[in-house]
Amino acid sequence: MDLYPLKFKPILKERLWGGTKLKDVLNKPIESDITGESWELSGVQGDISEVCNGDLAGTSLNQLITKHGEKLLGKSVVARFGNEFPILIKFIDAKQDLSIQLHPNDDLAKERHNSFGKTEMWYIMNADPGAKLIVGFNRNVEKAEYIQSLEEGTLLDLMNYEEVSEGDTFFINTGKIHAIGAGVMLAEIQQTSDITYRVYDFDRKDKNGNLRELHTGLAVDAIDYEQKDDFKVDYPHKKDAVNTMVDCPYFKTNFLDLNSSMHQDLSTRDSFTIYMCVGGEATIDNDWGNVSIKKGETILVPACSSTVNINTHGAKLLEVTI
């Protein structure tokens, strides 16, 4: 089977803090007023993505990997991750503040949960005036001081707040305490992991009147208590060029702000390529087919593709590889 560019059915997640922007702005097929996440490409057990275009429609990502392996993922990717898809791609809409949380590193996640850790990045697609993120502490904090702040309800006094606007990009290391603030819609690229340690949730209750579970005990030894100015990504914005945003051991992300079509030689890229459309629209083709993509959509170009053509009169794309 020829491996054309693949589009997947979004996996929609209701969240206590979710809203309607994924429907109103990105045209996701949503009826709920509290949809917080659209998982665009997922290998997380229980939430495996399914192809929705072309002859392979209805095929799961796991089935594709089992059948096509290195042709789909790339030889080096299979050598590192076997048959597991290594990254998770989402769009997130926060109508309310998310809980303050963090994610364990690979070693701790493997030991405790038999999972990958969760390094992630955010690209801000839409932000209400004054919308903010919480990213890290506002000064170096001792573990005992952090624990005391939880007991006294003063954790927010230790947090670092960052006002955001469209195009701002953040890299969130494992161990960094963080939260997406109300009024922010973003694209998220992360390691394949759903391990989150929630440490404060504003005392909110779910639809059944229950407080959500906190993971304060697990989090204590996973937190980086040092204040670090290492999260805001300063990246070039050249038009009709490949602009590197993030290059880390888990994924590489480039920003493509295109006014015209672009041809890319992928013959030396030993990895699949993901395109997340964060503005405009385009048609993307490889050796075996093409697919249209518009704002709020994501496609996977298999690793066996020697070239890709991005045909557009205006599109903003996040290009993700391993």
Side-chain angles (χ1 to χ4, degrees):
M1 178 68 71
D2 294 332
L3 290 174
Y4 54 87
L6 300 164
K7 190 180 291 186
F8 293 81
K9 182 180 179 180
I11 300 169
L12 304 171
K13 301 283 189 179
E14 286 193 351
R15 299 290 189 242
L16 184 66
W17 40 262
T20 62
K21 283 184 180 178
L22 296 179
K23 175 178 66 176
D24 298 339
V25 180
L26 301 187
N27 296 307
K28 297 297 179 184
I30 291 167
E31 297 180 2
S32 164
D33 290 335
I34 55 166
T35 300
E37 301 184 11
S38 176
W39 291 22
E40 298 289 298
L41 190 48
S42 167
V44 175
Q45 188 173 357
D47 286 298
I48 306 297
S49 291
E50 182 181 291
V51 178
C52 66
N53 71 312
D55 293 339
L56 290 169
T59 307
S60 75
L61 179 60
N62 283 0
Q63 289 172 324
L64 288 173
I65 293 171
T66 298
K67 184 171 182 180
H68 299 288
E70 293 178 358
K71 286 182 64 179
L72 182 76
L73 300 181
K75 186 174 181 179
S76 64
V77 176
V78 171
R80 284 182 65 190
F81 300 102
N83 282 347
E84 295 202 45
F85 196 72
I87 54 178
L88 174 59
I89 301 292
K90 302 177 182 178
F91 293 114
I92 295 177
D93 169 30
K95 184 176 181 179
Q96 300 180 33
D97 295 330
L98 272 66
S99 62
I100 298 176
Q101 59 189 242
L102 62 133
H103 311 293
N105 62 28
D106 282 345
D107 292 340
L108 202 55
K110 180 69 174 177
E111 175 187 333
R112 291 178 173 177
H113 313 285
N114 195 30
S115 171
F116 293 119
K118 188 176 174 183
T119 297
E120 60 190 345
M121 67 163 283
W122 298 330
Y123 173 87
I124 308 301
M125 296 178 65
N126 181 284
D128 295 346
K132 296 179 176 66
L133 305 176
I134 289 175
V135 191
F137 293 102
N138 56 30
R139 56 182 173 80
N140 291 339
V141 174
E142 298 294 331
K143 183 187 294 188
E145 182 184 11
Y146 162 77
I147 293 171
Q148 183 178 358
S149 76
L150 289 181
E151 294 171 348
E152 297 178 352
T154 58
L155 179 64
L156 296 178
D157 295 339
L158 300 178
M159 297 294 93
N160 173 58
Y161 295 85
E162 295 283 330
E163 191 165 330
V164 296
S165 57
E166 181 182 345
D168 288 348
T169 300
F170 294 82
F171 183 72
I172 310 297
N173 284 306
T174 55
K176 188 178 294 296
I177 200 163
H178 62 272
I180 301 171
V184 175
M185 185 180 75
L186 56 79
E188 179 176 274
I189 299 153
Q190 59 161 92
Q191 291 176 267
T192 291
S193 171
D194 204 26
I195 305 299
T196 295
Y197 295 162
R198 188 184 299 125
V199 299
Y200 182 67
D201 196 34
F202 306 95
D203 299 319
R204 290 179 294 198
K205 296 181 179 180
D206 64 20
K207 60 185 178 182
N208 297 317
N210 300 314
L211 295 170
R212 292 201 296 173
E213 181 183 5
L214 298 179
H215 313 96
T216 52
L218 288 170
V220 168
D221 293 326
I223 294 175
D224 183 352
Y225 294 98
E226 186 178 348
Q227 181 193 28
K228 294 176 181 174
D229 186 17
D230 60 354
F231 46 82
K232 186 76 178 285
V233 178
D234 183 17
Y235 62 98
H237 291 73
K238 293 181 181 178
K239 294 279 189 178
D240 299 310
V242 177
N243 300 288
T244 299
M245 305 173 89
V246 169
D247 189 354
C248 75
Y250 307 106
F251 51 82
K252 178 177 180 177
T253 304
N254 300 316
F255 182 63
L256 280 57
D257 188 357
L258 304 179
N259 288 330
S260 58
S261 298
M262 173 181 282
H263 172 82
Q264 289 182 293
D265 180 0
L266 306 183
S267 59
T268 60
R269 180 179 291 176
D270 188 17
S271 166
F272 59 84
T273 303
I274 295 166
Y275 292 99
M276 300 183 77
C277 188
V278 295
E281 58 187 48
T283 300
I284 296 177
D285 65 70
N286 71 351
D287 307 307
W288 300 286
N290 65 79
V291 64
S292 63
I293 185 172
K294 61 184 179 181
K295 184 177 180 179
E297 293 185 332
T298 302
I299 67 162
L300 173 68
V301 174
C304 59
S305 307
S306 59
T307 62
V308 67
N309 295 301
I310 304 171
N311 303 300
T312 185
H313 296 294
K316 294 181 180 180
L317 304 171
L318 305 183
E319 180 189 58
V320 187
T321 63
I322 296 294

Short mmCIF file of all heavy atoms in Angstrom, two decimals, residues 145-187:
data_model
loop_
_atom_site.label_atom_id
_atom_site.label_comp_id
_atom_site.label_asym_id
_atom_site.label_seq_id
_atom_site.Cartn_x
_atom_site.Cartn_y
_atom_site.Cartn_z
N GLU A 145 9.62 24.89 51.74
CA GLU A 145 8.82 26.09 51.52
C GLU A 145 7.65 25.78 50.58
O GLU A 145 6.51 26.26 50.79
CB GLU A 145 9.70 27.19 50.92
CG GLU A 145 8.99 28.50 50.68
CD GLU A 145 9.89 29.51 50.01
OE1 GLU A 145 10.99 29.15 49.54
OE2 GLU A 145 9.48 30.70 49.95
N TYR A 146 7.91 24.98 49.55
CA TYR A 146 6.85 24.58 48.62
C TYR A 146 5.76 23.80 49.36
O TYR A 146 4.56 24.08 49.20
CB TYR A 146 7.45 23.75 47.49
CG TYR A 146 6.43 22.93 46.73
CD1 TYR A 146 5.60 23.53 45.78
CD2 TYR A 146 6.28 21.56 46.97
CE1 TYR A 146 4.66 22.79 45.09
CE2 TYR A 146 5.34 20.82 46.29
CZ TYR A 146 4.53 21.43 45.35
OH TYR A 146 3.59 20.70 44.68
N ILE A 147 6.16 22.84 50.17
CA ILE A 147 5.19 22.03 50.92
C ILE A 147 4.37 22.92 51.85
O ILE A 147 3.14 22.77 51.95
CB ILE A 147 5.91 20.92 51.69
CG1 ILE A 147 6.53 19.91 50.71
CG2 ILE A 147 4.96 20.21 52.65
CD1 ILE A 147 7.45 18.90 51.36
N GLN A 148 5.02 23.86 52.50
CA GLN A 148 4.31 24.78 53.38
C GLN A 148 3.29 25.61 52.60
O GLN A 148 2.18 25.86 53.09
CB GLN A 148 5.30 25.69 54.10
CG GLN A 148 4.65 26.64 55.10
CD GLN A 148 5.67 27.52 55.82
OE1 GLN A 148 6.87 27.39 55.61
NE2 GLN A 148 5.18 28.41 56.67
N SER A 149 3.65 26.04 51.38
CA SER A 149 2.73 26.85 50.58
C SER A 149 1.48 26.06 50.20
O SER A 149 0.37 26.63 50.13
CB SER A 149 3.43 27.37 49.32
OG SER A 149 3.57 26.35 48.34
N LEU A 150 1.64 24.75 49.97
CA LEU A 150 0.46 23.92 49.71
C LEU A 150 -0.44 23.84 50.94
O LEU A 150 -1.66 23.96 50.84
CB LEU A 150 0.89 22.51 49.30
CG LEU A 150 1.53 22.32 47.92
CD1 LEU A 150 1.86 20.85 47.70
CD2 LEU A 150 0.61 22.82 46.81
N GLU A 151 0.18 23.65 52.08
CA GLU A 151 -0.58 23.53 53.33
C GLU A 151 -1.31 24.81 53.68
O GLU A 151 -2.43 24.78 54.21
CB GLU A 151 0.36 23.12 54.47
CG GLU A 151 0.96 21.72 54.30
CD GLU A 151 2.04 21.42 55.31
OE1 GLU A 151 2.49 22.38 56.00
OE2 GLU A 151 2.45 20.26 55.41
N GLU A 152 -0.71 25.95 53.36
CA GLU A 152 -1.29 27.24 53.73
C GLU A 152 -2.11 27.88 52.61
O GLU A 152 -2.70 28.94 52.80
CB GLU A 152 -0.17 28.20 54.14
CG GLU A 152 0.59 27.74 55.38
CD GLU A 152 1.74 28.67 55.75
OE1 GLU A 152 2.03 29.59 54.95
OE2 GLU A 152 2.32 28.48 56.84
N GLY A 153 -2.15 27.21 51.44
CA GLY A 153 -2.92 27.74 50.32
C GLY A 153 -2.31 28.96 49.67
O GLY A 153 -3.02 29.82 49.14
N THR A 154 -0.98 29.07 49.70
CA THR A 154 -0.30 30.25 49.15
C THR A 154 0.58 29.92 47.95
O THR A 154 1.48 30.69 47.60
CB THR A 154 0.56 30.92 50.24
OG1 THR A 154 1.52 29.97 50.75
CG2 THR A 154 -0.31 31.42 51.39
N LEU A 155 0.35 28.76 47.31
CA LEU A 155 1.20 28.35 46.18
C LEU A 155 1.23 29.41 45.08
O LEU A 155 2.29 29.65 44.47
CB LEU A 155 0.70 27.02 45.62
CG LEU A 155 1.47 26.47 44.42
CD1 LEU A 155 2.91 26.13 44.80
CD2 LEU A 155 0.78 25.24 43.82
N LEU A 156 0.10 30.05 44.82
CA LEU A 156 0.04 31.03 43.73
C LEU A 156 1.02 32.18 43.92
O LEU A 156 1.47 32.79 42.95
CB LEU A 156 -1.38 31.58 43.59
CG LEU A 156 -2.46 30.57 43.19
CD1 LEU A 156 -3.83 31.24 43.15
CD2 LEU A 156 -2.14 29.94 41.85
N ASP A 157 1.39 32.46 45.16
CA ASP A 157 2.35 33.54 45.44
C ASP A 157 3.75 33.19 44.94
O ASP A 157 4.60 34.08 44.79
CB ASP A 157 2.42 33.83 46.94
CG ASP A 157 1.11 34.38 47.48
OD1 ASP A 157 0.31 34.89 46.68
OD2 ASP A 157 0.89 34.28 48.71
N LEU A 158 4.02 31.91 44.70
CA LEU A 158 5.35 31.47 44.26
C LEU A 158 5.43 31.32 42.74
O LEU A 158 6.51 31.06 42.21
CB LEU A 158 5.71 30.13 44.91
CG LEU A 158 5.76 30.10 46.44
CD1 LEU A 158 6.09 28.67 46.91
CD2 LEU A 158 6.80 31.08 46.97
N MET A 159 4.30 31.48 42.05
CA MET A 159 4.26 31.18 40.62
C MET A 159 4.74 32.33 39.75
O MET A 159 4.58 33.51 40.09
CB MET A 159 2.84 30.80 40.20
CG MET A 159 2.28 29.53 40.86
SD MET A 159 3.14 28.02 40.38
CE MET A 159 4.37 27.86 41.69
N ASN A 160 5.31 31.99 38.59
CA ASN A 160 5.73 32.96 37.58
C ASN A 160 4.66 33.04 36.50
O ASN A 160 4.30 32.02 35.91
CB ASN A 160 7.06 32.53 36.96
CG ASN A 160 7.45 33.42 35.79
OD1 ASN A 160 7.58 34.63 35.93
ND2 ASN A 160 7.60 32.81 34.62
N TYR A 161 4.16 34.25 36.23
CA TYR A 161 3.09 34.45 35.26
C TYR A 161 3.64 35.08 33.99
O TYR A 161 4.44 36.01 34.05
CB TYR A 161 1.99 35.33 35.85
CG TYR A 161 1.27 34.70 37.02
CD1 TYR A 161 1.78 34.79 38.32
CD2 TYR A 161 0.08 34.00 36.82
CE1 TYR A 161 1.11 34.20 39.39
CE2 TYR A 161 -0.59 33.41 37.89
CZ TYR A 161 -0.07 33.51 39.16
OH TYR A 161 -0.72 32.92 40.21
N GLU A 162 3.19 34.58 32.84
CA GLU A 162 3.65 35.08 31.55
C GLU A 162 2.43 35.45 30.69
O GLU A 162 1.64 34.58 30.33
CB GLU A 162 4.47 34.01 30.81
CG GLU A 162 5.78 33.63 31.49
CD GLU A 162 6.87 34.65 31.28
OE1 GLU A 162 6.86 35.33 30.23
OE2 GLU A 162 7.74 34.76 32.16
N GLU A 163 2.26 36.75 30.39
CA GLU A 163 1.18 37.15 29.49
C GLU A 163 1.55 36.73 28.07
O GLU A 163 2.71 36.82 27.67
CB GLU A 163 0.95 38.66 29.57
CG GLU A 163 -0.31 39.10 28.86
CD GLU A 163 -0.73 40.52 29.23
OE1 GLU A 163 -0.46 40.97 30.37
OE2 GLU A 163 -1.34 41.18 28.37
N VAL A 164 0.56 36.27 27.29
CA VAL A 164 0.87 35.66 25.99
C VAL A 164 0.02 36.27 24.88
O VAL A 164 -1.06 36.84 25.13
CB VAL A 164 0.66 34.14 26.01
CG1 VAL A 164 1.62 33.48 26.98
CG2 VAL A 164 -0.78 33.77 26.36
N SER A 165 0.51 36.10 23.66
CA SER A 165 -0.25 36.48 22.47
C SER A 165 0.08 35.50 21.35
O SER A 165 1.01 34.67 21.48
CB SER A 165 0.09 37.91 22.04
OG SER A 165 1.48 38.05 21.81
N GLU A 166 -0.66 35.55 20.27
CA GLU A 166 -0.50 34.60 19.16
C GLU A 166 0.95 34.54 18.68
O GLU A 166 1.60 35.57 18.50
CB GLU A 166 -1.41 34.99 18.00
CG GLU A 166 -1.32 34.05 16.81
CD GLU A 166 -2.18 34.48 15.63
OE1 GLU A 166 -3.07 35.35 15.82
OE2 GLU A 166 -1.97 33.94 14.53
N GLY A 167 1.44 33.34 18.49
CA GLY A 167 2.80 33.12 18.00
C GLY A 167 3.81 32.88 19.10
O GLY A 167 4.90 32.35 18.82
N ASP A 168 3.50 33.25 20.33
CA ASP A 168 4.41 32.96 21.44
C ASP A 168 4.57 31.45 21.58
O ASP A 168 3.60 30.69 21.44
CB ASP A 168 3.89 33.55 22.74
CG ASP A 168 3.98 35.07 22.80
OD1 ASP A 168 4.65 35.65 21.94
OD2 ASP A 168 3.36 35.66 23.71
N THR A 169 5.78 31.03 21.90
CA THR A 169 6.08 29.60 21.98
C THR A 169 6.86 29.32 23.26
O THR A 169 7.77 30.07 23.62
CB THR A 169 6.89 29.15 20.75
OG1 THR A 169 6.11 29.41 19.57
CG2 THR A 169 7.25 27.69 20.81
N PHE A 170 6.50 28.22 23.92
CA PHE A 170 7.08 27.86 25.21
C PHE A 170 7.51 26.40 25.19
O PHE A 170 6.80 25.53 24.67
CB PHE A 170 6.07 28.09 26.34
CG PHE A 170 5.72 29.53 26.54
CD1 PHE A 170 4.76 30.14 25.74
CD2 PHE A 170 6.36 30.29 27.51
CE1 PHE A 170 4.44 31.48 25.91
CE2 PHE A 170 6.04 31.63 27.68
CZ PHE A 170 5.09 32.22 26.87
N PHE A 171 8.67 26.14 25.79
CA PHE A 171 9.21 24.79 25.92
C PHE A 171 9.17 24.42 27.40
O PHE A 171 9.73 25.13 28.24
CB PHE A 171 10.64 24.74 25.39
CG PHE A 171 11.26 23.36 25.44
CD1 PHE A 171 10.85 22.38 24.56
CD2 PHE A 171 12.26 23.07 26.36
CE1 PHE A 171 11.41 21.11 24.60
CE2 PHE A 171 12.83 21.81 26.40
CZ PHE A 171 12.40 20.83 25.52
N ILE A 172 8.48 23.34 27.71
CA ILE A 172 8.25 22.96 29.10
C ILE A 172 9.02 21.69 29.42
O ILE A 172 8.63 20.58 29.02
CB ILE A 172 6.74 22.74 29.37
CG1 ILE A 172 5.90 23.92 28.86
CG2 ILE A 172 6.51 22.50 30.87
CD1 ILE A 172 6.19 25.24 29.53
N ASN A 173 10.12 21.85 30.12
CA ASN A 173 10.90 20.69 30.56
C ASN A 173 10.14 19.86 31.58
O ASN A 173 9.28 20.39 32.30
CB ASN A 173 12.23 21.16 31.19
CG ASN A 173 13.25 21.59 30.17
OD1 ASN A 173 13.57 20.84 29.26
ND2 ASN A 173 13.75 22.81 30.31
N THR A 174 10.48 18.59 31.69
CA THR A 174 9.94 17.79 32.78
C THR A 174 10.37 18.40 34.11
O THR A 174 11.46 18.96 34.24
CB THR A 174 10.43 16.34 32.69
OG1 THR A 174 11.87 16.32 32.66
CG2 THR A 174 9.89 15.64 31.47
N GLY A 175 9.48 18.31 35.09
CA GLY A 175 9.76 18.88 36.41
C GLY A 175 9.36 20.32 36.58
O GLY A 175 9.30 20.81 37.72
N LYS A 176 9.09 21.03 35.47
CA LYS A 176 8.73 22.45 35.57
C LYS A 176 7.25 22.58 35.88
O LYS A 176 6.39 22.12 35.14
CB LYS A 176 9.07 23.21 34.28
CG LYS A 176 8.89 24.72 34.43
CD LYS A 176 9.26 25.45 33.17
CE LYS A 176 10.73 25.36 32.85
NZ LYS A 176 11.58 26.02 33.86
N ILE A 177 6.94 23.24 36.96
CA ILE A 177 5.56 23.47 37.36
C ILE A 177 4.93 24.46 36.38
O ILE A 177 5.58 25.41 35.95
CB ILE A 177 5.51 23.95 38.82
CG1 ILE A 177 4.14 23.73 39.44
CG2 ILE A 177 6.00 25.38 38.96
CD1 ILE A 177 4.13 23.80 40.96
N HIS A 178 3.66 24.22 35.99
CA HIS A 178 3.08 25.05 34.94
C HIS A 178 1.56 24.92 34.92
O HIS A 178 0.99 23.99 35.50
CB HIS A 178 3.64 24.67 33.57
CG HIS A 178 3.33 23.25 33.17
ND1 HIS A 178 4.13 22.19 33.50
CD2 HIS A 178 2.29 22.71 32.48
CE1 HIS A 178 3.62 21.07 33.03
NE2 HIS A 178 2.49 21.36 32.41
N ALA A 179 0.91 25.85 34.19
CA ALA A 179 -0.53 25.79 33.96
C ALA A 179 -0.87 26.70 32.79
O ALA A 179 -0.31 27.79 32.64
CB ALA A 179 -1.31 26.22 35.19
N ILE A 180 -1.80 26.24 31.95
CA ILE A 180 -2.36 27.07 30.89
C ILE A 180 -3.47 27.90 31.49
O ILE A 180 -4.35 27.38 32.18
CB ILE A 180 -2.90 26.21 29.73
CG1 ILE A 180 -1.78 25.33 29.15
CG2 ILE A 180 -3.50 27.09 28.64
CD1 ILE A 180 -2.27 24.29 28.17
N GLY A 181 -3.44 29.20 31.24
CA GLY A 181 -4.41 30.10 31.84
C GLY A 181 -5.68 30.24 31.01
O GLY A 181 -5.72 29.91 29.81
N ALA A 182 -6.73 30.73 31.64
CA ALA A 182 -8.01 30.96 30.97
C ALA A 182 -7.84 31.88 29.78
O ALA A 182 -7.11 32.87 29.83
CB ALA A 182 -9.00 31.56 31.97
N GLY A 183 -8.53 31.54 28.68
CA GLY A 183 -8.50 32.38 27.48
C GLY A 183 -7.41 32.04 26.50
O GLY A 183 -7.23 32.77 25.52
N VAL A 184 -6.71 30.93 26.70
CA VAL A 184 -5.61 30.53 25.81
C VAL A 184 -6.01 29.31 25.00
O VAL A 184 -6.50 28.32 25.54
CB VAL A 184 -4.33 30.22 26.61
CG1 VAL A 184 -3.23 29.71 25.69
CG2 VAL A 184 -3.86 31.46 27.36
N MET A 185 -5.81 29.38 23.69
CA MET A 185 -5.91 28.20 22.82
C MET A 185 -4.54 27.97 22.20
O MET A 185 -3.92 28.92 21.69
CB MET A 185 -6.95 28.40 21.73
CG MET A 185 -7.18 27.14 20.88
SD MET A 185 -8.43 27.37 19.59
CE MET A 185 -7.49 28.35 18.41
N LEU A 186 -4.06 26.74 22.23
CA LEU A 186 -2.70 26.48 21.77
C LEU A 186 -2.57 25.12 21.10
O LEU A 186 -3.43 24.25 21.22
CB LEU A 186 -1.71 26.62 22.93
CG LEU A 186 -1.92 25.79 24.21
CD1 LEU A 186 -1.44 24.35 24.03
CD2 LEU A 186 -1.18 26.42 25.38
N ALA A 187 -1.47 24.98 20.37
CA ALA A 187 -1.05 23.69 19.83
C ALA A 187 0.01 23.13 20.76
O ALA A 187 0.93 23.85 21.17
CB ALA A 187 -0.48 23.87 18.42
#
